[in-house]
Amino acid sequence: MEVRYPRPSERLLPYVQSILVVENQQVVAPFVLPLFANGTPTLLFSTVPGQIATNTDHLLLFGQTVLPETLLLPGNFKIFAYFLKPYALSILFNVSASELVDRPVCLDLVTGRSQLQDRLLNATSTDQTLQLIDEYLLSRITAIRREDKRLIYAVEKIHGDPRKNVLKEIRQELYMTERTFERMFEREIGVSPVLFRRISQFSKAFRQVNERTLPDLSTITYRNGYTDQSHFIRAFKEFTGFTPSAYLKAKAGI
């Protein structure tokens, strides 16, 4: 399996957090890709129809993922995942973010019929596929009609430093009531500020578990603001369905 992380172009960076390209040309049985909460909506294209829950398509738009899910890929594939900034979903696609929480949909159901999927399926190289998706997203960026700077500030601060007290600090800085703050997040992000902070906290810790960037579970627990290992293990299991040790064991067996 070949994995690449192309850097988003400068014009995409305000709305695209990262890009992932995975190619597997040795699939002998359906490949199961686990999907966990990471705080980022995603535009995903697969060269074979990917199946998630009741949806089967090549081009899917994901909102916030809260409950762990899997993407089933039936044969040799390439997938292209554009992980969007948490606030990008409503800005770029003019959709209520709450409608897509744990409910990925075919892109055309959100934006209307386009030629993007057909063009992607006819692309002859990875670079051409990336160029087509870039051009599509740039066209969405050009058409932006509204943007709430308060939301962008709040999201970036929480995502970068998901401490328990950060929500109160942000509300005070923005002179917003708790209820107004909650309504803004539920409408534009899809989940409450409390849940988004918890997802951001988990996502940061998950990367450290996954990449083994810290020496042990205790260090990861306390560096990420969890009160103790039991607290962290409960959060890890909530968002992945695994304990950290079971996840690492399953990952080693892939």
Side-chain angles (χ1 to χ4, degrees):
M1 184 181 299
E2 181 181 348
V3 179
R4 292 174 52 192
Y5 297 91
R7 177 178 169 78
S9 69
E10 291 298 322
R11 292 177 63 192
L12 290 179
L13 278 175
Y15 303 98
V16 176
Q17 189 156 295
S18 60
I19 302 172
L20 170 67
V21 179
V22 180
E23 180 174 5
N24 194 344
Q25 298 297 334
Q26 299 178 342
V27 177
V28 295
F31 185 87
V32 179
L33 181 69
L35 305 173
F36 302 139
N38 60 11
T40 60
T42 306
L43 179 62
L44 185 143
F45 169 69
S46 171
T47 53
V48 298
Q51 180 179 342
I52 177 169
T54 58
N55 287 310
T56 301
D57 213 314
H58 293 274
L59 190 58
L60 295 169
L61 183 64
F62 292 74
Q64 290 289 331
T65 296
V66 179
L67 301 175
E69 188 53 272
T70 56
L71 178 68
L72 183 68
L73 298 160
N76 293 347
F77 64 85
K78 283 186 185 180
I79 59 173
F80 299 77
Y82 277 60
F83 297 102
L84 308 176
K85 295 291 180 72
Y87 49 78
L89 192 64
S90 60
I91 294 174
L92 294 182
F93 299 98
N94 195 28
V95 63
S96 173
S98 61
E99 294 180 6
L100 298 188
V101 175
D102 288 327
R103 290 179 58 195
V105 296
C106 306
L107 181 64
D108 285 352
L109 293 179
V110 175
T111 61
R113 179 66 180 166
S114 74
Q115 300 300 313
L116 179 60
Q117 178 169 298
D118 292 340
R119 295 175 70 192
L120 291 171
L121 289 171
N122 288 318
T124 57
S125 68
T126 295
D127 287 344
Q128 185 182 10
T129 303
L130 291 169
Q131 182 180 354
L132 288 168
I133 300 175
D134 282 5
E135 290 172 352
Y136 172 77
L137 288 174
L138 286 170
S139 73
R140 306 297 302 186
I141 291 170
T142 303
I144 288 174
R145 294 290 181 266
R146 64 180 180 84
E147 200 174 70
D148 191 333
K149 299 296 184 184
R150 300 172 306 168
L151 176 69
I152 293 173
Y153 172 78
V155 164
E156 290 183 343
K157 185 161 184 175
I158 296 167
H159 209 55
D161 185 18
R163 294 172 292 110
K164 190 171 184 179
N165 294 331
V166 72
L167 302 181
K168 183 177 180 181
E169 292 176 7
I170 294 170
R171 291 198 308 270
Q172 291 173 342
E173 290 173 8
L174 298 178
Y175 301 100
M176 297 179 72
T177 66
E178 185 172 0
R179 185 63 193 128
T180 299
F181 194 57
E182 288 176 354
R183 282 199 300 264
M184 179 178 70
F185 261 77
E186 289 166 358
R187 181 181 65 250
E188 306 293 342
I189 305 301
V191 295
S192 71
V194 171
L195 180 53
F196 181 73
R197 185 202 69 79
R198 291 184 59 241
I199 289 172
S200 298
Q201 180 186 34
F202 159 74
S203 181
K204 189 174 180 181
F206 177 76
R207 288 195 301 272
Q208 293 164 357
V209 170
N210 211 33
E211 298 167 4
R212 306 292 184 95
T213 53
L214 289 176
D216 53 53
L217 198 61
S218 294
T219 305
I220 293 172
T221 295
Y222 295 113
R223 289 274 183 93
N224 289 285
Y226 292 99
T227 53
D228 52 38
Q229 284 194 42
S230 295
H231 182 202
F232 174 53
I233 291 170
R234 285 196 304 273
F236 197 99
K237 191 169 184 179
E238 175 187 356
F239 291 122
T240 67
F242 297 93
T243 64
S245 58
Y247 166 76
L248 290 171
K249 185 176 181 180
K251 181 185 175 188
I254 294 177

